[in-house]
Amino acid sequence: MSREIISTANAPAAIGTYSQAVKVGNTLYLSGQIPLVPETMEIIEGGIEARIHQVFKNLSAVCEAAGGSLQDIVKLNIFLTDLGNFATVNKIMAEYFEQPYPARAAVGVAQLPRDAQVEMDGVLVLG
């Protein structure tokens, strides 16, 4: 099966040797998104809530570039430098997803790129 690279200016450009997403058949693999503002490539100002919202906006932009939406995510991975923010992620996630919710993992990590506090990636099934 062939691979299609998905890219959009509405999400941060890759800051390494990766693509924003790769589509194989009707499955889309999202690379991790941190709370970078696409226009400035800087982490959004504000606290953890603003940063979680920015990550969801970035993921949404890539999903839309592939012809899908956040609702098509079947597996979401969340990486947090402070698991104390887990309840905040849950609260904000409920603003972006409807039931049935995707499968999910939340992992505490020591550090993320650009000293971000949160990163998310996922897998979608389109159509």
Side-chain angles (χ1 to χ4, degrees), residues 44-118:
I44 192 165
E45 296 290 324
I48 188 65
E49 289 189 9
R51 292 173 181 182
I52 293 166
H53 280 290
Q54 186 65 47
V55 170
F56 281 122
K57 289 176 188 174
N58 293 343
L59 289 173
S60 182
V62 179
C63 292
E64 290 171 9
S69 74
L70 290 176
Q71 296 307 312
D72 297 311
I73 293 178
V74 296
K75 177 67 164 85
L76 182 68
N77 297 307
I78 303 168
F79 306 94
L80 294 164
T81 57
D82 179 356
L83 284 175
N85 291 319
F86 185 72
T88 304
V89 169
N90 275 335
K91 181 184 78 149
I92 293 171
M93 186 174 166
E95 297 176 30
Y96 290 91
F97 290 89
E98 298 172 0
Q99 290 189 19
Y101 299 120
R104 183 181 79 179
V107 180
V109 297
Q111 190 172 15
L112 290 166
R114 302 259 180 112
D115 289 324
Q117 297 169 295
V118 58

Side-chain angles (χ1 to χ4, degrees), residues 12-41:
I15 56 174
T17 54
Y18 62 91
S19 301
Q20 289 174 330
V22 177
K23 183 178 172 188
V24 179
N26 67 340
T27 304
L28 183 71
Y29 300 90
L30 296 167
S31 289
Q33 288 287 334
I34 60 175
L36 294 175
V37 176
E39 297 81 12
T40 64
M41 292 299 290

